[in-house]
Amino acid sequence: MSRSHLPVLYPEVLAGLKPAPGGKYIDGTLGAGGHAAGILTRSSLDGRLLGMDRDPAALEAARAALAPFGERATTVRASYTQMADAARGFAPVDGILLDLGLSSLQLDDPARGFAFQSDGPLDMRFDPESGMTAAEIVNDWPLDELTDVLHAYGEERHNRRIAQAIGAARPLKTTRQLAEVIRNAVGGRRERIHPATRTFQALRIAVNGELEAVTGVLPIAVSLLKPGGRLAVISFHSLEDRIVKDYFRRQARGPQDDPSAAAPAHFVPVLNEITRKPSVASAEEIARNPRARSARLRIVEKL
Ligand SMILES: C[S@@+](CC[C@H](N)C(=O)[O-])C[C@H]1O[C@@H](n2cnc3c(N)ncnc32)[C@H](O)[C@@H]1O
């Protein structure tokens, strides 16, 4: 793998998961299989990996990347929320990785509808063969529900203004049309990011039920770890990172009404926080891959 193709926080993930010969690992978000290949290389000659992804195109790419590892790698097309079923007969494991969000394969393919810089259908589904598309939310949802999605999942200040503009422009068919409507609605305010960024993030989260999926998978993943096993999670926006941070803290330090207070006497910790502060990408990695700028890696160890 050339350095320009290294997945996000690659050395940090491997240092955190510490893959070792004979170990068993789960990658819940295979993508192109870059992290998975690293885990299999470090756990040579007999470490094994179970990899999952909802996206058939990602699975195909990952299968090609993992072919050199033969039967040491198993791939499954499923949501990581199905991890307990997929890992039946394989768990308990030594390490689990969740690299949340979308892959460059998905972002760079206009037909998937994730990018406002290119023109494609308003789709945004990780699994393009099932579930609701972004077009349904954009064109069919009541405007107050659309406003709520933009507010809750995009933290978009101009939620109402954008929802009204979308309502007036319906039906919208393509990513570029939507990006234009948003740009016209919020004008040329001098922002650091494109005015459509938060709306696209909000729609993607809603389409894929991303926050529910992360919330649901964390206890499942912990239950599949051996004592001493590690869970590494990379998130790309603050809503996701907050869910991960709060769950890890509660399992490590007890209920968190007052984070500075001692844990209640009866509290039995389940996890040890390896990263109290998340790891972030180096300046060198961000220069190579600007998407790494928002990545946050948190790692816990099961007690
Ligand atoms: C950031 S990419 C992973 C990149 C990967 N670590 C690599 O080295 O190439 C995230 C992947 O997670 C997948 N994904 C998102 N939500 C998922 C879910 N609920 N279950 C399974 N896969 C999911 C996406 O389809 C995407 O391929």
Side-chain angles (χ1 to χ4, degrees):
M1 204 164 8
S2 78
R3 289 181 67 72
S4 61
H5 291 109
L6 282 182
V8 169
L9 293 167
Y10 182 78
E12 292 83 355
V13 164
L14 293 181
L17 287 179
K18 301 192 292 186
K24 288 201 264 182
Y25 304 91
I26 299 175
D27 183 343
T29 52
L30 264 180
H35 285 114
I39 292 169
L40 283 161
T41 302
R42 296 283 181 98
S43 62
S44 288
L45 289 168
D46 56 355
R48 288 193 289 149
L49 177 126
L50 170 68
M52 313 177 67
D53 205 293
R54 290 175 78 178
D55 181 351
L59 269 191
E60 200 182 307
R63 282 187 184 133
L66 303 183
F69 301 98
E71 292 185 349
R72 292 176 55 211
T74 308
T75 58
V76 180
R77 178 177 170 188
S79 168
Y80 55 62
T81 55
Q82 309 299 311
M83 195 180 278
D85 283 340
R88 198 154 286 146
F90 186 71
V93 299
D94 300 277
I96 299 178
L97 171 64
L98 293 166
D99 177 12
L100 303 170
L102 74 169
S103 69
S104 345
L105 285 176
Q106 292 162 334
L107 191 62
D108 295 344
D109 179 356
R112 303 297 300 272
F114 287 108
F116 46 78
Q117 297 90 341
S118 51
D119 209 12
L122 287 167
D123 191 318
M124 302 196 194
R125 291 170 298 175
F126 287 138
D127 176 354
E129 285 161 12
S130 75
M132 164 185 77
T133 65
E136 289 175 58
I137 301 180
V138 165
N139 292 318
D140 302 341
W141 280 26
L143 291 188
D144 53 348
E145 286 181 34
L146 179 57
T147 306
D148 288 348
V149 164
L150 301 184
H151 177 59
Y153 297 159
E155 299 181 295
E156 171 59 73
R157 276 184 303 139
H158 308 299
N159 49 67
R160 198 173 302 275
R161 185 196 299 257
I162 292 174
Q164 297 293 344
I166 289 174
R170 282 172 169 175
L172 289 167
K173 292 213 161 15
T174 70
T175 48
R176 190 158 286 157
Q177 280 176 338
L178 176 60
E180 270 314 298
V181 167
I182 297 166
R183 188 193 288 284
N184 292 336
V186 301
R189 283 153 224 265
R190 267 171 288 147
E191 301 239 12
R192 203 171 44 82
I193 56 174
H194 187 288
T197 308
R198 293 176 188 282
T199 297
F200 272 64
Q201 172 186 306
L203 291 171
R204 205 197 75 206
I205 291 175
V207 162
N208 295 294
E210 288 179 42
L211 301 186
E212 295 83 354
V214 185
T215 306
V217 73
L218 295 173
I220 297 172
V222 169
S223 75
L224 297 175
L225 287 174
K226 295 177 188 170
R230 288 187 170 194
L231 169 60
V233 186
I234 304 175
S235 54
F236 287 87
H237 53 76
S238 56
L239 298 167
E240 229 164 43
D241 185 51
R242 203 171 306 146
I243 292 170
V244 177
K245 177 178 76 180
D246 288 351
Y247 180 76
F248 285 179
R249 281 205 181 150
R250 278 197 310 277
Q251 299 304 314
R253 304 187 219 168
Q256 288 289 297
D257 293 341
D258 173 4
S260 62
H266 58 267
F267 174 70
V268 181
V270 177
L271 299 174
N272 179 27
E273 288 167 291
I274 303 297
T275 49
R276 281 211 164 196
K277 286 223 162 76
S279 305
V280 295
S282 64
E284 186 217 344
E285 177 171 1
I286 295 170
R288 215 176 343 111
N289 173 14
R291 279 198 65 223
R293 193 186 48 222
S294 39
R296 301 273 175 282
L297 168 66
R298 295 184 186 272
I299 300 172
V300 282
E301 187 169 279
K302 184 165 171 176
L303 293 168

